[in-house]
Amino acid sequence: MNISFNLNGKATSADVAPDTPLLWVLRDTLGMTGTKFGCGKALCGACTVHLNGNAVRSCQTPIGSVAGQKVTTIEGLPATHAIKKAWIALDVPQCGYCQPGQMMQAAALVAQNKKPSDADIDAWMSGNICRCGTYPRIRAAIKDAARMA
Amino acid sequence: MENIQMTARRDFLKASAAVGGGLTLGMYLPLGAKVAEAQAKTNSPNAWVKIGTDNSITIMCARSEMGQDVYTSMPMLVAEELEVDINKIKVEFAPPAEVYINSLLGGQLTGGSTAVRDAWEKLRKAGASARIMLVAAAAKEWGVDAGQCKAANATITGPGGKKTTYGAVAEAAAKMEVPKDVPLKPAKEFKVVGNKAQKRLDTPMKVAGTATFGIDVRVPNMLYAAVAMPPMIGGKVQSFDDTRAKNMPGVKAVVQYSRGVAVVAESYWQAKKAKDLLQITWDEGPNANNDMGKVWSGLKDASNQPGAVFREAGDADGAISKASKVYEATYELPHLSHSPMEPQNTVADVRADGATIITPTQFQQLVPFVVAGATGLKPEQITVITTFLGGGFGRRVEVDYTIDAAEISKAVGAPVKMVWSREDDMTHDSYRPGGYYKVQMGVDGGGKLVGYRYHGTSPSISSRLFPSIVKDGIDPFSVEAIDNFPYAVPNHKLTYQMHDTGITPGYWRGVSHNLNAYVVEGFIDEVAHALGKDPIQFRIDNLEYGEEKHKWSGLSAGVSVGGRLKKVLETVRDKSNWAQKLPEGRGKGVAVMEGYNTCLACVAEVSVTKNYDVIIDKVTYAVDAGQLIHPDQAKAQIESCTIFGQSACMYGEITVKNGGVEQTNFDGYRVVRMNEAPKAIDIHWLESNNTPGGLGEPATALVQAAIGNAIFAATGIRVRKMPFTPENIKGSIKA
């Protein structure tokens, strides 16, 4: 089944079964591997993308539900975005694997909260696991990005 | 029937045992010739540097980048002496070759917090040697003395305004004599090493989403494999019905391989959906009835064996029997999973004439050998390409998943990307072994420590992976952080008893430091409190300040480090505001350790709620790690270790039932999340230009002991069983 949607500002279509998770359409069908597979159960947040501006877990988002909508992945988050600039300034990533998901989750936070408190960050970011333990730098980078945004 | 993995491993070990000895694993392999041939096409003064005619500089990174920053810190060492701008170079992961062997481990292997320590002189010399050859080539061309020429920023200048680039003379330089005597800059002239403002070279691509991890690799005509593996450790496929799976959309093949059944399809999701429809009957194997009751009774029974003595002085048992006070305790430590964020995966392309294996591995040198064993090819026919690793933590020292992918590719005759699910990864890990520990301390009438007994019982990892380093019943990777027991007790006897729990043991960030540091530092804390002493002062007063050498933990400093430990304890006492009184329910705990030639002291500050939930308020460190190469990332490693250790001691526990691991994903195996991470991690470095110590691991072990001691300070409850869950804390309240 051919499903059309907007990916990072461009009209895109994929000929896949409608129950295929958006994650695997991005990675395998479209070759956009910035979005990562971590747990397959919405427990870790590595696969986070934006659906119409909201952070969602692409491993739990069937492509059929995305038809006609707007998807943004890490590749579509501009290099000039405050989150990307803050992540670079603080050298947040270690292994880096979870970071696209962390950044997409964080970008959705700073879009709506210009001065996130520690409690706001805890509540918003605790669905995203980082095994390298970059949390202190993620927290600092979110605060910096919110100031820039 | 033995599976192919075991056979390949055994053969590999047999081949290497002849060379090996002590901690040198002896994996010197005949790959040098092939690499030299490949590199002759480029202009390379040596194996660490490639110079393009456009003056582009590439520095080879021979360790796997799994977060610990080798991608930047190791090229920094080369660049310091090569005189190139570190921010303008390219970095390439090195293929397996003899020249890239880690001399501290004897293999091309990333682990043991050895990358920078092994590279410290070697890579600076490689950079210097290349620079000398480039300058010599320019001098020869100009007909001047090399001493009249100067190299800076990939450019050589000579007398009379002569000027050329590295790129222009690289071809000639590659033919120059390799200098024998290579002087190195003194520390005060460092421009790259120790630069606090240096950024990671891999951050931009990791932020852009373009860094290629193993799971991101795509090759032409590639198929995808999802796998079904036995749910019980040591199980095998007995029979399977693939009628439904075979008929699913996109499915190309269903193949049985050594340890499971793979569905190969046009996309991963198609393969995964079909895999879920396989009907498999398992041969449950020897561990089918294993459960935690058996695991713990097995460890406790084994602990009644005398074990092997790895360090002894005087008459410990006699001194304890005559002591005026004797303290004793037992400790229980669980098995743990690595759970890196990137599940295991490999792209394998096995052809009749050779194979290409693209994989996130910590041990690229072993891959050609095990893949040869699995495919019938020769090791020299196998090309291995290392990608970025989405976490490693020791899991990717294992090469099991490269064997699986190679077998599947061979069976279908096409390149295959095998991707494990999180469930596959968590239930087919090699686990940080659990352990059961008995300790005793005898104290005389004057409060002096007179006798110490330490008896650890745990599975031996090296007996499975590198049996040649296990001697007289002692696995060096079971006695770290205890073989170098830092306290002066005239009579001591330290013993280790191996015991297989039926749960595959593996090297896990910090390895046995995690087991022993908690017992050593938890117990010394108990003794300090029992004697009414301040835990920091008590440690300082009882440190061993002699030159006592330890025999087994070869990745440690090797000599008494009492003076260094005293310094970090004094520093952390000052920086953590140790004397400050805390309100009810809050407490500070200290721990100190030497590991990987780094000396660290840690103070954890915790709050414990009425329901025995523990909140880590702050962690303060004093660290003597010698010369720091990349200071900001040295800091990042301590931060990383802290949170990794916190996950272990607060939540980590792998359990088995019916022979299989019960935890399958991050709901069952809890790890620290943003809201649980310490609110502050405060790190103080002792200034030093000494040889660097390792930083990727040691704090992982230390923070766990400090947290345990802080819980005691906050509650008066001594928790001798990890993890520090409300249940285990409550269960530790003295009746």
Side-chain angles (χ1 to χ4, degrees), chain A residues 19 36 41 89 91 132 135, chain B residues 199 203 216 273 423 640 672:
Chain A
D19 68 343
K36 301 302 186 209
K41 297 239 166 95
D91 260 345
C132 297
Y135 301 124
Chain B
K199 310 296 287 179
T203 293
D216 301 331
K273 268 177 76 176
E423 289 78 7
S640 176
V672 169

Side-chain angles (χ1 to χ4, degrees), chain B residues 628-676:
Chain B
L628 300 182
I629 314 307
H630 189 182
D632 181 60
Q633 289 303 303
K635 179 170 175 272
Q637 278 308 294
I638 300 276
E639 292 165 356
S640 176
C641 288
T642 302
I643 292 170
F644 204 77
Q646 184 193 352
S647 283
C649 74
M650 295 308 305
Y651 312 124
E653 184 165 24
I654 285 291
T655 57
V656 292
K657 195 178 172 185
N658 300 326
V661 170
E662 294 185 277
Q663 294 72 26
T664 59
N665 209 315
F666 291 116
D667 46 357
Y669 191 75
R670 188 173 164 193
V671 297
V672 169
R673 292 171 180 272
M674 175 65 87
N675 59 321
E676 296 148 343

Side-chain angles (χ1 to χ4, degrees), chain B residues 487 521-522 524-543 569 572-573 578 588-592 603 709-710 712-713 718:
Chain B
Y487 300 103
E521 284 299 295
I524 205 77
D525 209 67
E526 294 197 33
V527 175
H529 281 283
L531 295 172
K533 305 285 188 188
D534 171 76
I536 291 186
Q537 192 57 47
F538 182 76
R539 283 170 169 83
I540 291 172
D541 291 343
N542 285 286
L543 281 169
L569 278 167
V572 86
R573 174 164 64 188
W578 176 252
K588 285 179 194 165
V590 67
V592 67
V603 168
N709 293 340
F712 175 79
R718 187 59 72 175

Side-chain angles (χ1 to χ4, degrees), chain A residues 21-108:
Chain A
L22 172 60
L23 169 66
W24 296 109
V25 177
L26 291 169
R27 291 184 54 81
D28 292 357
T29 315
L30 302 171
M32 306 278 284
T33 54
T35 305
K36 301 302 186 209
F37 167 55
C39 71
K41 297 239 166 95
L43 295 166
C44 79
C47 67
T48 304
V49 299
H50 292 178
L51 183 59
N52 305 321
N54 300 313
V56 299
R57 308 298 188 228
S58 64
C59 76
Q60 298 298 308
T61 307
I63 189 71
S65 73
V66 169
Q69 304 191 57
K70 206 179 141 197
V71 174
T72 309
T73 67
I74 190 67
E75 293 92 342
L77 196 71
T80 53
H81 193 282
I83 282 289
K84 284 194 169 173
K85 289 202 292 196
W87 247 247
I88 286 174
L90 291 184
D91 260 345
V92 172
Q94 289 187 24
C95 91
Y97 191 81
C98 74
Q99 298 298 340
Q102 302 277 3
M103 284 184 277
M104 296 311 286
Q105 182 73 17

